[in-house]
Each structure stands twice: as C-alpha cells, then as structure tokens.
Amino acid sequence: MSEKIKISIIVGTRPNLIKVSPLVRKIKEDESIDMQFINTGQHYDYELDEIFIKELNIPKPVFLNVGSGTQGKQTGEALIKIEKELIEFKPDVSVVIGDTNSTLAGALASTKLHIPVAHIEAGLRSFDRKMPEEINRIVVDHISDILFVPTENAVKNLKNEGIGDEKIFFVHDISVDACLQNYEIAKKSEILKKMNINNNFVLVTLHRQENVDNKENLCNILDALLEISKGKGVVFPIHPRTLKNLKAFGIFEKYSENLRFIKPLGYFDFLKLIGSSSCIVTDSGGVQKEALILKTPCVTARTTTEWTETTDMNANVLVGTDKEKIIEEVSRRSSKEFHEFMEKTENPYGDGKTSERILRNIKNMALLKKYR
Ligand code: UD1
Ligand code: UDP
C-alpha cells in the first residue's frame, strides 16, 4: 500500500477551476499527498479553461474532452470518463466543487465506486428546481460524505433536508481565498489602460440559461444596458453561450455598437474590472460575491440567489429581467452615496483561510479510509 494519501480533484468549468485553485496549490506543496487532478472539459475554450491554469499556477489536469451537449449527454459522458480515471488511480477520497454537471458526474462516479466524496460549496439552495444547478446541488449534497459549507444559511438548508451533523463542516467560502489571493496581483492589471476606460462604467456578465436562451429575457436586459450606455460605458466580457445566442437570435449587431462586447477575460483582468467599475450587472453566482468582497455594488438579473447574505446586506439586489428596475438600480447604486455605503460593508464569507480548513479535514478523512 502506498504511504501517500491519494486525492482526486474533479473540475470542469471556469468557476470550478478558479475556486479550487487555492486548495490545489496547497495539495501540490504537501508531500504526503498524491493528487489526481481531473478536468472533464465541460469548458474547453482557452478563455474559459487554460488561461486560468496558467494564471492561477495550478498543474495541468487530465483533460477528458467531454465538451458541450444536452444535460444528459454532458453529465453521462463525464460520468463514464471520470469513472475510468478513478478506477485507475484508486483515490482515498474525491473532491468536487460547486454545482455544475461536472460536479454531479464526479460525485456520482466516486460514490458508486465507494470512494468517499467531499463536496466544497455544499448546502446552497436557490429553491428553483428549474435550474440544472439546483438539481446538481441537491443530489451531490445527498450522496457526499463530507460537506464543506460556506455559510450558516447553507448549514440550515442541509439540516432541514435531514443531513446529519457529522457530515457538515462549516468552513466558510473558498472563493474568498481565490479572490483575496489574486486581487493583489490583479491590482497591477493594465486592462483599464488597454481598454482606454476610466471608472465610469458598468461591468456585465450573463450566461444563465433562463436569461440567455430566451430572446425576450435577453433583450429586456440588453435594452436596459443600452439605456444605461447613454450615460456610462458598458463593458461586457461575453460568455460563449451568450455570444452564440446573440448571433442565433440575429441581435448581435443591434447591441454591439453601444455595448462593449469583449472576449471572456482572465481572472486578474476581470477582478481589476470588478474593483474599478461603478456597478455590476450579472447573473453569475461567483461575481455576486466578488462584488461584495471588492465593495462594488451589484445588480443581479435573477429572481433568486443562493448568496442571500449579499442581498440581506443590500450590497446586491435581485431584479430579474425587469428593464426599468435594472436601469433604476444601476443608477441608484452607481452614486457616490451608495459607494460610501459599500465601503462600510463587511465580507460575511470568511477570512480567506477556507482552503486550509478544507485540506485538514480531507486529510483526516483520507487517513481514516486508508487505515480502516
Ligand atoms: C456552466 C454551468 C453553470 C456555470 C457556468 C459557468 C451546468 C449545468 N452549468 O454553464 O452552472 O455557472 O458553467 O460559466 O453545469 N461553450 C463554448 N465553449 C466552451 C464552453 C461552452 O462555446 O468552452 C458554449 C457551448 O455552445 C455550450 C454553451 O456554451 O453549449 C453552454 O455551456 P455549458 O457548459 O453547457 O453551460 P454553461 O452555460 O457554461
Ligand atoms: N470570471 C472571469 N472572467 C470573466 C468572467 C468571469 O475570470 O470574463 C470569473 C469571475 O471572477 C468568477 C467566475 O469567473 O470568479 C464566475 O464564473 P461564472 O460566472 O462563469 O460562473 P458562476 O459563478 O455563475 O457559476
């Protein structure tokens, strides 16, 4: 039997890579661990994948080339390919993160091979079962053995679903580690100069299927942004799903004259833009939190959020796809007074040491499994 602890880390998308990076770097430095790092390839464009491996200084994962497809095809292919890797490596524990189809496939493949599963970012709920992410979260939480939970609300959600205390570890949120560690580097980014912009701009990201696969919803949000662009710049690093739909709906040209569509950015440039913008419009989970951490007001084009602390504190507001509300909230939140309010907010998501707490617990779990 190998003396080292064997840990498989399974990711597949941009946010998975970003969030897992502080943990992966720590594991790499730990000589008692043999790590298998698997990337399903759910995201495969350079701007959604490799750029983060380079910037975040993490080892190149085994790339499974799963690619895009329907929910079933993508999850199924990832399941088959992950299973093969796990059978070869025989880890003592698998680690999955977040709520993507790759997270679900990784957890399912592992548990069926009787490999204990650790789920990072467990317990979040939007209570909207139309979202594929909500289904993924519920299933992964219920088949995992150790749940690393980011917030007290998430602890409550798990307890309400009957999950035992012994599985729940309240460690705060690992994305704070990633954000704080990288913002120091991001501050030096030249992106503002390169784009020739000052701070008077709104930063936008949109990719949720309920917003961007539906022409009416997408146009409502973009019409609001067009209106906003009369007074300030609108910078929109555009997710490939959204770009594809803008073209398919035949509306790319209508908006591209006044909204500044650019390719998705690397993490450093993107964090610099979050920290410099006057307001953010997004439907991203991660961006809502990063906005709060970097004290930038946020307007969220959704009707629910898993990150309810951001809205409870009024650092963030849910506006759905309501054009007038988007315009009104962006205007209100871009004001000097609102920025002064944001300066006084405190980040409720942790101290940036979540990855240390997670690693300690994963090692204990792996040792238990190994010498059981
Ligand atoms: C996925 C996650 C979502 C997460 C998001 C992060 C699920 C169900 N969804 O959504 O939770 O917030 O990633 O960005 O797991 N595409 C490309 N190049 C790529 C990747 C995708 O062109 O590298 C295009 C394809 O047309 C694809 C579409 O984007 O069909 C959607 O990609 P997919 O991974 O299925 O979902 P996301 O919207 O990225
Ligand atoms: N992000 C980035 N470049 C971009 C847009 C987003 O680096 O052009 C980062 C962002 O800072 C956050 C993560 O990607 O850490 C969020 O990913 P996404 O919005 O795709 O997924 P979600 O968080 O909604 O699951």
Side-chain angles (χ1 to χ4, degrees):
M1 190 191 284
S2 141
E3 285 309 303
K4 290 195 175 192
I5 295 168
K6 293 171 86 174
I7 299 179
S8 293
I9 311 260
I10 303 156
V11 297
T13 63
R14 168 170 71 185
N16 290 168
L17 277 170
I18 292 171
K19 287 185 277 199
V20 91
S21 63
L23 178 67
V24 166
R25 280 197 305 268
K26 279 204 164 39
I27 292 181
K28 206 175 74 176
E29 285 163 10
D30 189 324
E31 289 182 354
S32 71
I33 302 175
D34 190 4
M35 174 174 67
Q36 179 189 45
F37 188 27
I38 299 176
N39 183 352
T40 63
Q42 176 174 345
H43 284 175
Y44 43 87
D45 286 351
Y46 176 81
E47 293 84 9
L48 262 62
D49 178 57
E50 215 178 317
I51 189 168
F52 298 103
I53 293 161
K54 287 194 176 140
E55 281 193 345
L56 300 173
N57 190 23
I58 49 180
K60 222 175 163 42
V62 179
F63 191 78
L64 302 183
N65 234 335
V66 166
S68 305
T70 61
Q71 296 292 315
K73 180 175 177 290
Q74 191 173 58
T75 312
E77 260 180 47
L79 181 65
I80 293 166
K81 291 183 172 174
I82 293 168
E83 181 182 63
K84 187 165 168 281
E85 298 298 324
L86 294 176
I87 288 172
E88 261 171 43
F89 186 69
K90 300 188 181 56
D92 298 306
V93 56
S94 286
V95 180
V96 297
I97 185 158
D99 57 12
T100 65
N101 289 343
S102 300
T103 315
L104 174 61
L108 204 49
S110 302
T111 197
K112 291 222 164 187
L113 291 168
H114 306 151
I115 300 162
V117 182
H119 182 208
I120 302 176
E121 215 183 65
L124 298 170
R125 298 290 180 267
S126 68
F127 302 100
D128 177 359
R129 289 207 181 192
K130 288 211 188 78
M131 293 175 71
E133 292 85 358
E134 183 75 352
I135 306 296
N136 294 343
R137 279 189 211 108
I138 294 169
V139 177
V140 174
D141 283 343
H142 283 260
I143 61 177
S144 292
D145 300 271
I146 179 167
L147 301 170
F148 292 119
V149 185
T151 64
E152 281 172 22
N153 281 329
V155 173
K156 278 188 210 143
N157 291 336
L158 292 174
K159 290 192 175 176
N160 286 342
E161 290 174 18
I163 292 183
D165 285 349
E166 71 287 356
K167 288 189 178 174
I168 301 175
F169 293 75
F170 177 31
V171 291
H172 287 293
D173 185 24
I174 197 167
S175 67
V176 178
D177 300 28
C179 181
L180 295 180
Q181 287 169 15
N182 292 294
Y183 192 54
E184 283 314 305
I185 306 171
K187 281 181 189 161
K188 298 185 202 114
S189 151
E190 301 272 307
I191 185 79
L192 292 182
K193 219 191 275 170
K194 237 179 359 199
M195 293 186 67
N196 195 20
I197 46 176
N198 56 28
N199 290 31
N200 186 28
F201 71 95
V202 173
L203 177 65
V204 181
T205 78
L206 296 172
H207 72 276
R208 295 278 160 200
Q209 66 175 25
E210 62 273 22
N211 284 335
V212 306
D213 290 4
N214 176 307
K215 186 176 176 188
E216 193 186 332
N217 287 346
L218 184 56
C219 286
N220 282 344
I221 304 172
L222 295 179
D223 286 341
L225 295 173
L226 262 192
E227 194 59 36
I228 291 164
S229 73
K230 292 177 183 162
K232 48 176 80 243
V234 175
V235 176
F236 192 161
I238 193 158
H239 189 286
R241 176 180 203 131
T242 313
L243 181 62
K244 197 176 85 181
N245 286 340
L246 281 173
K247 291 186 174 158
F249 297 147
I251 53 174
F252 182 82
E253 274 74 28
K254 174 176 172 200
Y255 295 105
S256 61
E257 211 174 296
N258 294 302
L259 309 184
R260 193 142 173 205
F261 291 141
I262 55 175
K263 280 189 176 175
L265 292 168
Y267 197 43
F268 300 140
D269 286 342
F270 191 73
L271 285 182
K272 174 78 177 189
L273 288 189
I274 294 185
S276 315
S277 61
S278 56
C279 188
I280 289 172
V281 175
T282 191
D283 60 11
S284 158
V287 176
Q288 291 173 60
K289 269 178 298 169
E290 288 163 346
L292 171 54
I293 296 167
L294 302 182
K295 299 185 186 299
T296 300
C298 188
V299 172
T300 295
R302 288 178 50 187
T303 52
T304 58
T305 180
E306 307 78 46
W307 303 104
T308 48
E309 299 74 16
T310 61
T311 48
D312 291 346
M313 292 168 65
N314 195 27
N316 181 22
V317 63
L318 301 177
V319 291
T321 58
D322 184 324
K323 180 182 163 192
E324 296 311 322
K325 258 199 200 161
I326 296 172
I327 297 169
E328 187 192 312
E329 288 292 352
V330 167
S331 159
R332 200 163 72 77
R333 284 165 192 266
S334 300
S335 67
K336 191 163 161 271
E337 294 70 35
F338 204 88
H339 277 254
E340 282 165 5
F341 160 75
M342 287 301 298
E343 278 308 314
K344 292 189 211 118
T345 56
E346 277 186 31
N347 158 30
Y349 292 115
D351 54 4
K353 295 198 171 126
T354 293
S355 47
E356 284 169 30
R357 291 187 277 272
I358 289 177
L359 182 54
R360 228 180 6 250
N361 284 298
I362 292 175
K363 281 175 80 172
N364 286 342
M365 185 190 195
L367 283 169
L368 270 178
K369 158 92 184 335
K370 204 171 176 59
Y371 297 111
R372 195 163 49 196

